[in-house]
């Protein structure tokens, strides 16, 4: 037990922990050991002896009144002593004074030593996991790089990221992606959980819009420096994405900086996303103008914003020429779906008295039926 404090700095350095936290973990280990080998109902404290560089265990007993109810409770009674009994040892004690009885764990031989070893190992491991948990909680939504260690029968990909193993579920992979052991890949941290049985669990994603934003920050210095801001992003992974960009500098073109010369920057991001097409639009706080940009490549004629009772924008009705309808909808409705995701609004396309919903379904309006009846009558 002597000079046990000498190992604090060694553990802290080896595990990348703060010495103060390691010391607290050791003190907790000593207290838990004392409870296990002496009496779990005793109240123990761990004190530092700077002279011997050791941790001393003392049993703390609080002086209470003779009629205190806690003296009758078997669970907590060992932590208290009546003032009458206490004055048999020291006639100067008062209520709420604390008496301390030293205990030496070495007196408990191999049992005490092995129990202390297990407790120290347990609490240091918990400390390491807590540090990792806090570290990766702060990394949620940020990019990490790792090496594939295995792929299970459910096609979940396990990746070694620094000092931990993370998992990329099949649902979070871009369609068509196949990984094998040894591959290096990028992903964003999607979720971090702490499980008592399995420890820290980190889930990654390559389908999140945040993954697209992080890749852009890697390729576009203006985004990394905050000169260009990605205000909003929406993706249908592996197929197409739309991003709304805002420049904070009057001389910087947000879209041009992001696309790069001859599209070199945006193409590098698209390549990482297995050929995903990326539309860049300039963000504006004017909803009608923003929606008209988001509907690109379609050219629209008019935008009407429908608000709910609280005055919040809920739906956008877009009027456009007949020859622009297919562009607005996009293949399998992909363009209108992305526009709805990016704006947060339900979108209806109005053309020649018809309404096209964001699912691409065309409904004939009442006005169109009335006009047809009028024609034949």
């Amino acid at each position: 037990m002597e000079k046990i404090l000498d190992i604090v700095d060694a553990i802290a350095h080896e595990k990348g922990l703060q010495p103060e936290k390691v010391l607290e973990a050791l003190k907790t280990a000593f207290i838990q050991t004392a409870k296990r080998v002496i009496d779990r109902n005793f109240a123990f404290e761990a004190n530092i002896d700077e002279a011997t560089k050791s941790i001393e265990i003392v049993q703390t007993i609080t002086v209470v009144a003779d009629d205190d109810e806690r003296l009758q409770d078997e669970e907590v009674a060992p932590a208290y002593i009546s003032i009458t009994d206490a004055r048999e040892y020291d006639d100067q004690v008062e209520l709420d004074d604390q008496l301390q009885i030293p205990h030496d764990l070495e007196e408990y031989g191999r049992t005490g030593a092995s129990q202390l070893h297990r407790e120290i190992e347990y609490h240091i491991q918990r400390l390491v996991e807590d540090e990792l948990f806090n570290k990766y909680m702060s990394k949620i939504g940020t990019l990490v790089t790792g090496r594939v260690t295995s792929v299970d029968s459910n096609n979940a990909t396990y990746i070694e990221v620094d000092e931990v193993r993370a998992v990329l579920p099949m649902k979070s992979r871009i369609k068509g992606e196949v990984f094998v052991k040894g591959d290096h890949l990028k992903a964003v941290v999607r979720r971090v959980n702490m499980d008592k049985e399995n420890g820290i669990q980190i889930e990654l994603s390559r389908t999140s819009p945040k993954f697209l934003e992080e890749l852009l920050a890697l390729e576009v210095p203006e985004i990394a420096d905050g000169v260009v801001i990605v205000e909003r992003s929406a993706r249908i992974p592996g197929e197409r994405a739309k991003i709304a960009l805002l420049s904070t500098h009057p001389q910087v073109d947000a879209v041009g900086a992001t696309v790069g010369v001859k599209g070199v920057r945006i193409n590098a991001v698209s390549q990482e996303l297995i050929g995903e097409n990326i539309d860049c639009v300039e963000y504006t706080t004017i909803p009608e103008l923003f929606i008209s940009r988001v509907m690109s490549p379609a050219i629209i004629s008019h935008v009407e914003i429908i608000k709910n009772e609280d005055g919040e924008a809920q739906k956008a009705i877009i009027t456009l020429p007949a020859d622009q309808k297919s562009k607005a909808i996009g293949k399998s409705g992909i363009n209108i779906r992305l526009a709805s995701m990016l704006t947060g609004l339900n979108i209806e396309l109005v053309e020649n008295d018809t309404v096209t919903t964001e699912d691409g379904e065309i409904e004939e309006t009442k006005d169109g039926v009335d006009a047809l009846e009028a024609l034949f009558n």
Side-chain angles (χ1 to χ4, degrees), residues 37-48:
V37 301
I38 302 175
D39 192 316
R40 68 181 183 85
N41 292 321
F42 286 0
F44 292 103
E45 288 185 8
N47 298 326
I48 304 297

PDB file of all heavy atoms in Angstrom, residues 37-48:
ATOM      1  N   VAL A  37     -14.577  -5.858   2.178  1.00  0.00           N
ATOM      2  CA  VAL A  37     -13.833  -6.778   3.045  1.00  0.00           C
ATOM      3  C   VAL A  37     -14.043  -6.505   4.533  1.00  0.00           C
ATOM      4  O   VAL A  37     -13.741  -7.367   5.367  1.00  0.00           O
ATOM      5  CB  VAL A  37     -12.321  -6.745   2.716  1.00  0.00           C
ATOM      6  CG1 VAL A  37     -12.074  -7.132   1.272  1.00  0.00           C
ATOM      7  CG2 VAL A  37     -11.716  -5.380   3.029  1.00  0.00           C
ATOM      8  N   ILE A  38     -14.547  -5.304   4.897  1.00  0.00           N
ATOM      9  CA  ILE A  38     -14.767  -4.984   6.317  1.00  0.00           C
ATOM     10  C   ILE A  38     -16.249  -5.026   6.642  1.00  0.00           C
ATOM     11  O   ILE A  38     -16.724  -5.933   7.303  1.00  0.00           O
ATOM     12  CB  ILE A  38     -14.154  -3.608   6.671  1.00  0.00           C
ATOM     13  CG1 ILE A  38     -12.646  -3.597   6.358  1.00  0.00           C
ATOM     14  CG2 ILE A  38     -14.395  -3.275   8.138  1.00  0.00           C
ATOM     15  CD1 ILE A  38     -11.967  -2.247   6.546  1.00  0.00           C
ATOM     16  N   ASP A  39     -16.995  -4.043   6.155  1.00  0.00           N
ATOM     17  CA  ASP A  39     -18.441  -4.013   6.406  1.00  0.00           C
ATOM     18  C   ASP A  39     -19.058  -3.007   5.446  1.00  0.00           C
ATOM     19  O   ASP A  39     -18.678  -1.832   5.438  1.00  0.00           O
ATOM     20  CB  ASP A  39     -18.739  -3.610   7.851  1.00  0.00           C
ATOM     21  CG  ASP A  39     -20.206  -3.862   8.230  1.00  0.00           C
ATOM     22  OD1 ASP A  39     -21.090  -3.536   7.406  1.00  0.00           O
ATOM     23  OD2 ASP A  39     -20.461  -4.365   9.340  1.00  0.00           O
ATOM     24  N   ARG A  40     -20.011  -3.469   4.657  1.00  0.00           N
ATOM     25  CA  ARG A  40     -20.617  -2.586   3.654  1.00  0.00           C
ATOM     26  C   ARG A  40     -21.436  -1.475   4.265  1.00  0.00           C
ATOM     27  O   ARG A  40     -21.740  -0.485   3.618  1.00  0.00           O
ATOM     28  CB  ARG A  40     -21.486  -3.402   2.692  1.00  0.00           C
ATOM     29  CG  ARG A  40     -22.748  -3.993   3.307  1.00  0.00           C
ATOM     30  CD  ARG A  40     -23.528  -4.807   2.297  1.00  0.00           C
ATOM     31  NE  ARG A  40     -24.777  -5.312   2.848  1.00  0.00           N
ATOM     32  CZ  ARG A  40     -25.904  -4.617   2.877  1.00  0.00           C
ATOM     33  NH1 ARG A  40     -25.940  -3.389   2.399  1.00  0.00           N
ATOM     34  NH2 ARG A  40     -27.008  -5.129   3.404  1.00  0.00           N
ATOM     35  N   ASN A  41     -21.845  -1.644   5.540  1.00  0.00           N
ATOM     36  CA  ASN A  41     -22.659  -0.611   6.191  1.00  0.00           C
ATOM     37  C   ASN A  41     -21.835   0.494   6.837  1.00  0.00           C
ATOM     38  O   ASN A  41     -22.385   1.503   7.272  1.00  0.00           O
ATOM     39  CB  ASN A  41     -23.568  -1.252   7.244  1.00  0.00           C
ATOM     40  CG  ASN A  41     -24.634  -2.135   6.619  1.00  0.00           C
ATOM     41  OD1 ASN A  41     -25.189  -1.794   5.581  1.00  0.00           O
ATOM     42  ND2 ASN A  41     -24.898  -3.281   7.234  1.00  0.00           N
ATOM     43  N   PHE A  42     -20.536   0.305   6.942  1.00  0.00           N
ATOM     44  CA  PHE A  42     -19.695   1.338   7.533  1.00  0.00           C
ATOM     45  C   PHE A  42     -19.535   2.508   6.552  1.00  0.00           C
ATOM     46  O   PHE A  42     -19.547   2.324   5.331  1.00  0.00           O
ATOM     47  CB  PHE A  42     -18.310   0.789   7.877  1.00  0.00           C
ATOM     48  CG  PHE A  42     -18.296  -0.116   9.094  1.00  0.00           C
ATOM     49  CD1 PHE A  42     -19.460  -0.388   9.792  1.00  0.00           C
ATOM     50  CD2 PHE A  42     -17.112  -0.697   9.534  1.00  0.00           C
ATOM     51  CE1 PHE A  42     -19.450  -1.216  10.904  1.00  0.00           C
ATOM     52  CE2 PHE A  42     -17.092  -1.522  10.640  1.00  0.00           C
ATOM     53  CZ  PHE A  42     -18.267  -1.790  11.329  1.00  0.00           C
ATOM     54  N   ALA A  43     -19.368   3.699   7.121  1.00  0.00           N
ATOM     55  CA  ALA A  43     -19.080   4.886   6.305  1.00  0.00           C
ATOM     56  C   ALA A  43     -17.571   5.109   6.306  1.00  0.00           C
ATOM     57  O   ALA A  43     -16.980   5.378   7.367  1.00  0.00           O
ATOM     58  CB  ALA A  43     -19.805   6.100   6.861  1.00  0.00           C
ATOM     59  N   PHE A  44     -16.947   4.963   5.128  1.00  0.00           N
ATOM     60  CA  PHE A  44     -15.496   5.078   5.031  1.00  0.00           C
ATOM     61  C   PHE A  44     -15.105   6.355   4.273  1.00  0.00           C
ATOM     62  O   PHE A  44     -15.849   6.863   3.442  1.00  0.00           O
ATOM     63  CB  PHE A  44     -14.899   3.872   4.298  1.00  0.00           C
ATOM     64  CG  PHE A  44     -15.007   2.583   5.061  1.00  0.00           C
ATOM     65  CD1 PHE A  44     -15.959   1.634   4.729  1.00  0.00           C
ATOM     66  CD2 PHE A  44     -14.145   2.312   6.111  1.00  0.00           C
ATOM     67  CE1 PHE A  44     -16.063   0.446   5.419  1.00  0.00           C
ATOM     68  CE2 PHE A  44     -14.240   1.116   6.819  1.00  0.00           C
ATOM     69  CZ  PHE A  44     -15.201   0.182   6.476  1.00  0.00           C
ATOM     70  N   GLU A  45     -13.917   6.819   4.590  1.00  0.00           N
ATOM     71  CA  GLU A  45     -13.300   7.911   3.845  1.00  0.00           C
ATOM     72  C   GLU A  45     -11.882   7.500   3.499  1.00  0.00           C
ATOM     73  O   GLU A  45     -11.241   6.740   4.231  1.00  0.00           O
ATOM     74  CB  GLU A  45     -13.273   9.202   4.671  1.00  0.00           C
ATOM     75  CG  GLU A  45     -14.635   9.848   4.853  1.00  0.00           C
ATOM     76  CD  GLU A  45     -14.533  11.188   5.585  1.00  0.00           C
ATOM     77  OE1 GLU A  45     -13.389  11.653   5.804  1.00  0.00           O
ATOM     78  OE2 GLU A  45     -15.579  11.742   5.939  1.00  0.00           O
ATOM     79  N   ALA A  46     -11.401   7.999   2.360  1.00  0.00           N
ATOM     80  CA  ALA A  46     -10.018   7.741   1.945  1.00  0.00           C
ATOM     81  C   ALA A  46      -9.232   9.041   2.044  1.00  0.00           C
ATOM     82  O   ALA A  46      -9.589  10.035   1.411  1.00  0.00           O
ATOM     83  CB  ALA A  46      -9.991   7.201   0.518  1.00  0.00           C
ATOM     84  N   ASN A  47      -8.201   9.039   2.858  1.00  0.00           N
ATOM     85  CA  ASN A  47      -7.383  10.237   3.065  1.00  0.00           C
ATOM     86  C   ASN A  47      -5.990  10.028   2.494  1.00  0.00           C
ATOM     87  O   ASN A  47      -5.448   8.913   2.495  1.00  0.00           O
ATOM     88  CB  ASN A  47      -7.286  10.572   4.559  1.00  0.00           C
ATOM     89  CG  ASN A  47      -8.652  10.872   5.161  1.00  0.00           C
ATOM     90  OD1 ASN A  47      -9.524  11.438   4.501  1.00  0.00           O
ATOM     91  ND2 ASN A  47      -8.841  10.482   6.423  1.00  0.00           N
ATOM     92  N   ILE A  48      -5.413  11.115   2.018  1.00  0.00           N
ATOM     93  CA  ILE A  48      -4.069  11.074   1.437  1.00  0.00           C
ATOM     94  C   ILE A  48      -3.041  11.355   2.520  1.00  0.00           C
ATOM     95  O   ILE A  48      -3.124  12.359   3.245  1.00  0.00           O
ATOM     96  CB  ILE A  48      -3.921  12.107   0.306  1.00  0.00           C
ATOM     97  CG1 ILE A  48      -4.993  11.889  -0.767  1.00  0.00           C
ATOM     98  CG2 ILE A  48      -2.524  12.050  -0.301  1.00  0.00           C
ATOM     99  CD1 ILE A  48      -4.906  10.564  -1.454  1.00  0.00           C
TER     100      ILE A  48
END
